[in-house]
Amino acid sequence: MKCRTIGIDLAKSVFQACGVNQHLKPVFNQRLARRDFYAFMAEQPPTQVVMEACYSSHYWGRELTQLGHTVCLIPAQHVTPFVRGNKNDRNDALAIVEASQRPNIRFVPIKSEAQQEVMALHRIRERLIKNKTALTNQAHGLLSDFGIIFSQGERCFSVMAHIVAASSHVSENIKSLVAMLHEEFLGLKAKLKVIEAKLKQNLTQFPQAEILLSVPGVGYIIASALIACIDKGQAFKSAKYFAVWLGITPRQYASGSHSYMGKISKRGHRYLRKQLIHGARAVLNRYKNENDALKVWGESVAHRRGFNKAVVAIAHKLARIVWHLLQKDVMYQPQHIKA
């Protein structure tokens, strides 16, 4: 019997498949081992398949699409309210089906292998940066107990390592310790350079990369992150929806006739939001086109509300600009304001 929708609760080794008919009544709700799952789905007539956008969902989305199914991925937070009874795989699979029937649900586009490869590079790069920061912070704490104080920053750490190595007032144990830390530090920097070179090289395979790189504050790191996360922004109805998804818009508190706008919501993709804020900071600090309306507006906000609020405001505007440019397939054209 053909099912209208099949909901799948993904896992590493065990899958739960729940098929419903046109009246949303369960036809089957069975547990499948990983080795049997693909063969089971190949036997099903082409239909709508819904899964949570989580662990391995994009891989299975590509695989099931090749079998002729229409695959939809649902954000996990939209499925939780539909789980009835105890938390188990049977109820989770049924909840996925019920959530997919809601009229205002927004599905997540299936990422290609190329997009996931780029995102994998970003995740490894982020971990290496955290390791590098943790290493220098640990060096600050350990060496301060021996009276060795140095300023923050990579350059200061390297200078300190060379000074300690040449000092006659530092014991050999401390010298070997600092040398070991500095060697690990240089290794992390070398790995970061390799990953960043790969990110820059991978941009050439995406046609929208040139559009993104034309936007102020957007370099190859931010451009590759945008491509990996949103592709061309086709999942969002407008630039406003994209900015809301990023969590870069104010949180609203409203009741009756009273409405208050608070701090930014910080929902959505934390990494992409952070990168856009870094790009916005670069617009205020280092963008050379002083007459560009974007920078003039940002400087006026910084004068009225402070630097940090201006950075977030510019990041919000950058997100909306990026979405419009990707949708219209045009390059960024600065609007000059006469001094």
Side-chain angles (χ1 to χ4, degrees):
M1 181 177 179
K2 182 177 180 179
C3 298
R4 170 183 172 178
T5 303
I6 299 177
I8 300 171
D9 184 37
L10 297 172
K12 180 180 179 181
S13 303
V14 178
F15 300 82
Q16 188 76 26
C18 176
V20 299
N21 57 22
Q22 58 182 351
H23 303 293
L24 299 183
K25 297 294 183 181
V27 176
F28 59 81
N29 196 345
Q30 63 186 87
R31 186 176 182 178
L32 298 165
R34 185 182 184 91
R35 62 180 177 273
D36 303 325
F37 174 68
Y38 187 85
F40 174 82
M41 294 304 298
E43 294 174 356
Q44 304 301 314
T47 186
Q48 183 188 43
V49 177
V50 290
M51 301 178 289
E52 285 184 336
C54 58
Y55 173 81
S56 73
S57 60
H58 293 280
Y59 165 76
W60 284 114
R62 294 191 297 267
E63 292 293 317
L64 298 180
T65 299
Q66 292 179 0
L67 294 176
H69 298 294
T70 302
V71 182
C72 300
L73 304 183
I74 306 175
Q77 66 267 25
H78 297 330
V79 177
T80 303
F82 293 93
V83 178
R84 293 180 295 178
N86 297 320
K87 173 70 172 66
N88 54 56
D89 291 347
R90 291 179 60 87
N91 290 341
D92 286 348
L94 183 58
I96 291 171
V97 174
E98 293 182 355
S100 69
Q101 306 304 312
R102 305 306 303 165
N104 295 323
I105 195 71
R106 182 181 60 82
F107 296 112
V108 177
I110 298 174
K111 289 183 173 62
S112 65
E113 284 190 6
Q115 286 179 283
Q116 288 193 290
E117 288 172 1
V118 171
M119 205 62 229
L121 289 172
H122 275 280
R123 288 172 179 169
I124 296 173
R125 176 179 179 270
E126 188 74 355
R127 179 181 60 82
L128 291 175
I129 290 174
K130 289 180 180 179
N131 291 347
K132 183 161 62 71
T133 304
L135 186 149
T136 55
N137 288 342
Q138 186 181 48
H140 273 282
L142 293 175
L143 295 178
S144 64
D145 290 334
F146 297 92
I148 302 174
I149 306 297
F150 57 97
S151 301
Q152 293 182 346
E154 297 181 5
R155 183 175 178 276
C156 293
F157 178 75
S158 296
V159 171
M160 179 277 303
H162 289 97
I163 292 175
V164 168
S167 176
S168 59
H169 303 288
V170 180
S171 67
E172 292 299 323
N173 287 334
I174 296 300
K175 286 184 178 180
S176 63
L177 176 67
V178 171
M180 182 178 63
L181 290 175
H182 191 236
E183 183 181 358
E184 183 181 353
F185 175 79
L186 294 177
L188 291 172
K189 287 189 66 176
K191 291 178 181 178
L192 281 169
K193 287 183 179 179
V194 171
I195 289 177
E196 289 171 359
K198 288 183 178 181
L199 287 173
K200 193 171 185 178
Q201 181 181 2
N202 287 342
L203 271 181
T204 57
Q205 63 181 308
F206 299 102
Q208 64 269 40
E210 189 176 358
I211 296 174
L212 293 173
L213 292 174
S214 69
V215 180
V218 176
Y220 65 92
I221 297 293
I222 299 178
S224 60
L226 285 166
I227 290 172
C229 294
I230 68 168
D231 193 17
K232 295 184 179 180
Q234 64 270 25
F236 306 98
K237 295 181 180 178
S238 67
K240 180 183 72 174
Y241 283 88
F242 176 45
V244 170
W245 175 78
L246 279 174
I248 210 165
T249 55
R251 184 185 294 273
Q252 183 183 30
Y253 301 88
S255 178
S257 59
H258 299 280
S259 180
Y260 168 72
M261 305 301 287
K263 299 179 180 179
I264 60 174
S265 65
K266 295 187 178 181
R267 67 182 69 171
H269 206 289
R270 180 186 301 179
Y271 179 75
L272 194 55
R273 180 174 64 249
K274 181 187 75 172
Q275 294 299 332
L276 281 174
I277 288 176
H278 285 331
R281 190 176 291 111
V283 170
L284 271 183
N285 285 333
R286 296 191 291 273
Y287 188 37
K288 296 181 180 180
N289 192 345
E290 297 290 341
N291 295 326
D292 190 347
L294 178 63
K295 182 166 185 178
V296 173
W297 174 80
E299 290 176 342
S300 67
V301 174
H303 180 72
R304 290 183 284 109
R305 305 301 301 275
F307 182 83
N308 290 334
K309 290 182 178 179
V311 166
V312 176
I314 292 175
H316 181 194
K317 191 172 285 290
L318 284 177
R320 298 176 73 116
I321 290 172
V322 162
W323 187 89
H324 279 293
L325 295 179
L326 289 175
Q327 292 297 302
K328 296 179 181 179
D329 196 24
V330 295
M331 305 285 284
Y332 176 79
Q333 299 292 335
Q335 296 182 0
H336 295 287
I337 294 179
K338 296 182 180 179

